[in-house]
Amino acid sequence: MGNKSLNGRENNVLLRNEGGETPTFRDHAYVSGADRIEDGRGLAVVDVNSDGNLDIIVQSVEKQSVLLVNHGSAGSEGPRRPAPHWLQVRLRGTVSNRDAIGARIVVRTADAIQTREVTTTGGYISGRSLLSHFGLGPHDRVDTLEVHWPRGAVTVLHAVSVDRMLIISEPTRALTTSPDNPVPAAAPHATR
Amino acid sequence: MTSDTVRSARATRAWARTIFLLALLVCPGCASWEKTRSDIVDPVNSLIHVEYPQSIRNRDTEGARALFAPSLREWASHDVAQLLQPFETLHRVRCIIHDATPPNKDGVVETQCVLRLDGTGPSGPVTWRQERVIRAQRIGEQWRIISVTSGPVTLATPRTRFVDEAAERGLVATNRTRGLPDRWGRPQKYLGSGGVSVADIDGDNRDDILLISGDALRLYRNKEGSFVEATDHCGLRTPATGECRCAYFGDVDNDGDVDLFVGMLAADDQLYRNDGTGHFEIVDPSVSGLQPTQHTSSACFGDFDRDGDLDLVVISGNNMGQVTPDPPYAASNAHPNRYYRNDGRGHFTEATDAAGIGDTGWGLACAVSDYDLDGDLDLFVANDVGLDVLYQNQGDGSFENVSRAAGIVYHGSSMSADFGDVNGDGWPDLYVSGMASNSRWLLKQPGFPKPVWWPIGVLLGKHVLAVMWEMFHGNRLYLNQRDGSFAEVSAESRTDWLGWAWSSLFLDYDNDGRQDIYAANGFWSGEDSHDC
């Protein structure tokens, strides 16, 4: 390659989901301060300061590591727009593997369903947080939260309050359940 | 195949390559290709890579016009004043060409491109982006713009959301690569390590960070949002040789803390046990059961056989500097992926054959998801220079390759993958990152030398170029069709043409309830910005 380049000086992109059955995306990297122009490699998403906004760690070729701290949208969309709500969930497996890797969490609000799966790997040569993060927009309450544990049990919580991290333990008896006959809610506890 | 057959096949391939090189030297298309290169390729390429510096930054319209005006750049000059209207200062102007047809009989070239300006307006950062279809006709030494169709989009925010706070929060490290040797023993720096992994290693419910540089593993503990390096006393041992590639946390012995797998190139993989305080102890391979691989590019934990403990899938590639991918559009001459079954106490037994995931594609990444919602974890393997593979779990940790039935048939160079529900229908969708080459449009130019033996080029040239076109298509978004198959919607969703994307991940960065995407781009930036 000598001193030439190959697809060099490219900016990282932050594609905002604009919604739809087949959603369309727009690159907000520059206006959001996230368009690093480095030869990027690994990435991880993590809420380093537990403020409910997801931060991004970027590793690039022969460069210092970058920690893009997300300061949220306060003030950027007008003073009357309050900060959007969020919920974070950490699972403790008992019958299933202890990290509950493979669990599926479904969060329902008035107008939407969101799903996360607990996995260890995401992107290129990078590991993912076991913490599941849900942005909730204007909703200050989650109608139902379902945890589908890897070994088949289902936990259902109703009217969950938000803007906090919730730790949910798997029911210790291996129960076979269905959404029509949910397991009584496991004892969740919030850390803040 | 017997070893004689293998030898004979290798000899045939070597012979074919020699003929191919000779054919390139004497092929009849070379003269016309050289002409195309000087007439079309070089001017357009210099347009892509031209820097737009001070004149535009100073909002010097005449200077900008002069910069845009010569030859093919004329198309961008007609509305330069309007272009600069939202900006007080400009930081960067880019033109990316998606496609350019060869000249028709009247010398008309049609170009699809994106023009993008990033800068600052009166109230904060501004991005102006326009997709255009431009028809231009060459008259003598000049180009005349016939038509432009476009629809611009302007994005602006009064406040920057993301700020790099690595230094003030104590995450100070430089990512380096030792570089695997190529055929001539030179280190391949550009392949580039640089992984990162996060997990709560000490049970305080805050995610700690492991930075994986080619030459070091560095562990940082999260203390109220700032980081304290804990590498020295955490028990991690970076091997003296080889390249640290990737690392993943998972509680392999179900004792309540996350343990660690480290994948290596040109050295053996490592397994560490956590004592519960964030101190790790390496497990001897005779106990862990990990096999010597030397080619690990990625891995993932998951309870694939649903027995309550974490099994391990290790993805392997090969050394591109020493081994030529064969065939280059569907390479299968890398090392097999491995499947390890956990006995519940963190001892692994290799069971690759039973699992059925030991394909020899040039694996770079993997992602797991229960994409068919049948209660078990399925596996997607992103392969470089070839075809990706979707493995459906049969419920017991044995897998079936269902890529074709699921609609994932794509010649490409995939580098990472992530599952996430982008349209809120409750079913996991899939995003795969790949290469979007600035120079892909060259493939359509007359006389482009087909990289195959010339008789094959004559007979199958169109197909060869079509496969290459597919390989440089960029990223792909697959929407789950809820019937076990996926539909590729990259173009409609505008998620395909982003750059040479390595890692890409879903995240909801603005907490609006929709999964957004962040992607890290760029292969190699040399001193000279022109492509090699």
Side-chain angles (χ1 to χ4, degrees), chain B residues 371 390 406-408 419 428-430 478-481 484-488:
Chain B
Y371 77 92
L390 179 66
I408 295 175
F419 282 97
D429 309 301
L430 173 64
Y478 294 100
L479 283 192
N480 195 323
Q481 300 299 291
S485 72
F486 290 86
E488 202 223 307

Side-chain angles (χ1 to χ4, degrees), chain B residues 263-274:
Chain B
M264 298 288 303
L265 295 175
D268 290 338
D269 297 337
Q270 299 175 323
L271 184 73
Y272 293 92
R273 287 242 172 101
N274 187 344

Side-chain angles (χ1 to χ4, degrees), chain A residues 5 9-10 15-17 27 30 32 34-35 39 41 52 60 71 98-99 117 121 124 128-129 133, chain B residues 91-92 94 116 162 165 175 190 207 251 256 299 369-370 418 500 503 510-511 516-518 525 528 532:
Chain A
S5 304
R9 293 170 177 74
E10 292 186 339
L15 298 181
R16 181 170 184 271
N17 186 337
D27 183 10
Y30 182 81
S32 298
D35 78 328
D39 298 323
R41 293 296 184 267
S60 300
H71 290 277
R98 185 261 181 190
D99 295 323
E117 291 176 292
T121 303
Y124 175 70
R128 177 202 299 285
S129 173
H133 177 98
Chain B
H91 300 142
R92 194 152 44 101
R94 290 199 129 192
R116 178 175 162 160
F162 288 99
E165 297 178 6
N175 173 44
Y190 48 85
D207 275 333
D251 186 356
S369 167
D370 181 10
D418 200 15
W500 192 297
S503 210
D510 53 1
N511 280 338
D516 313 302
I517 296 171
Y518 191 73
S525 302
D528 181 347
C532 60

Side-chain angles (χ1 to χ4, degrees), chain A residues 1 3-28 30-46 48-50 52-54 56-76 84-86 90 92 95-99 101-102 104 113-117 119-131 133-137 150-152 165 167 191, chain B residues 91-92 94 116 118-119 125-127 155 157-166 169 172-177 190-198 205-207 209 211 222 225 227 245 248-251 254 256 297 299-301 306-308 310 366 368-370 373 415-418 422-424 426 428 436 479 482 492-495 498-500 502-505 508-532:
Chain A
M1 222 168 305
N3 64 351
K4 294 227 175 199
S5 304
L6 184 57
N7 279 65
R9 293 170 177 74
E10 292 186 339
N11 58 302
N12 295 351
V13 297
L14 177 65
L15 298 181
R16 181 170 184 271
N17 186 337
E18 313 253 314
E21 176 64 21
T22 299
T24 51
F25 291 81
R26 280 202 182 129
D27 183 10
H28 282 243
Y30 182 81
V31 293
S32 298
D35 78 328
R36 307 294 303 189
I37 302 177
E38 293 156 340
D39 298 323
R41 293 296 184 267
L43 289 179
V45 170
V46 55
V48 294
N49 50 357
S50 307
N53 291 307
L54 290 175
I56 303 170
I57 301 168
V58 187
Q59 292 269 74
S60 300
V61 174
E62 306 289 319
K63 287 281 193 306
Q64 292 264 331
S65 303
V66 168
L67 170 59
L68 294 173
V69 175
N70 183 345
H71 290 277
S73 61
S76 69
H85 296 286
W86 52 276
R90 207 180 268 283
R92 298 266 185 270
V95 182
S96 304
N97 70 84
R98 185 261 181 190
D99 295 323
I101 288 162
R104 184 160 50 93
I113 301 175
Q114 292 188 59
T115 308
R116 301 284 186 275
E117 291 176 292
T119 62
T120 59
T121 303
Y124 175 70
I125 59 175
S126 295
R128 177 202 299 285
S129 173
L130 298 171
L131 185 76
H133 177 98
F134 297 86
L136 300 170
R151 296 196 76 183
M165 182 178 73
I167 298 176
T191 58
Chain B
H91 300 142
R92 194 152 44 101
R94 290 199 129 192
R116 178 175 162 160
D118 294 317
V126 178
T127 289
L155 303 170
T157 55
R159 185 170 173 274
T160 302
R161 177 186 283 269
F162 288 99
V163 179
D164 177 17
E165 297 178 6
R169 290 182 187 264
V172 181
T174 302
N175 173 44
R176 299 207 185 280
T177 177
Y190 48 85
L191 289 182
S193 290
V196 50
S197 205
V198 293
N205 290 321
R206 286 178 180 268
D207 275 333
I209 294 175
L211 296 178
N222 189 335
F227 294 91
R245 196 57 165 176
Y248 303 96
F249 290 101
D251 186 356
N254 273 337
S297 54
C300 54
F301 285 114
R306 303 179 71 206
D307 63 352
L310 291 181
C366 59
V368 296
S369 167
D370 181 10
L373 301 191
M415 292 182 277
S416 78
D418 200 15
V422 294
N423 55 0
L479 283 192
R482 308 167 220 173
E492 304 94 290
S493 59
R494 298 169 187 271
T495 50
L498 304 177
W500 192 297
W502 292 81
S503 210
S504 53
L505 286 176
D508 182 2
Y509 78 94
D510 53 1
N511 280 338
D512 69 348
R514 297 189 186 124
Q515 289 280 53
D516 313 302
I517 296 171
Y518 191 73
N521 287 325
F523 183 69
W524 181 258
S525 302
E527 285 167 32
D528 181 347
S529 63
H530 287 76
D531 276 355
C532 60

Side-chain angles (χ1 to χ4, degrees), chain B residues 294-336:
Chain B
Q294 309 271 318
H295 296 96
T296 298
S297 54
S298 175
C300 54
F301 285 114
D303 183 9
F304 297 102
D305 54 8
R306 303 179 71 206
D307 63 352
D309 55 41
L310 291 181
D311 311 303
L312 175 64
V313 168
V314 176
I315 303 299
S316 291
N318 211 337
N319 184 342
M320 187 90 58
Q322 292 185 353
V323 180
T324 304
D326 189 17
Y329 55 89
S332 59
N333 57 333
H335 298 268

Side-chain angles (χ1 to χ4, degrees), chain B residues 30-47 70-73 97 100-103 107-109 111 136-143 441-442 445-446:
Chain B
C30 279
S32 69
W33 169 243
E34 281 310 316
K35 184 162 166 39
T36 306
R37 182 194 290 272
S38 61
D39 287 359
I40 311 263
V41 176
D42 289 346
V44 176
N45 255 344
S46 62
L47 175 67
S71 66
L72 198 68
R73 294 172 202 160
I97 295 181
T101 63
V108 175
V109 173
T111 311
Q137 187 177 28
R138 184 167 188 140
I139 299 165
E141 287 303 302
Q142 293 295 313
W143 289 84
W441 60 277
L442 306 187
Q445 302 310 308

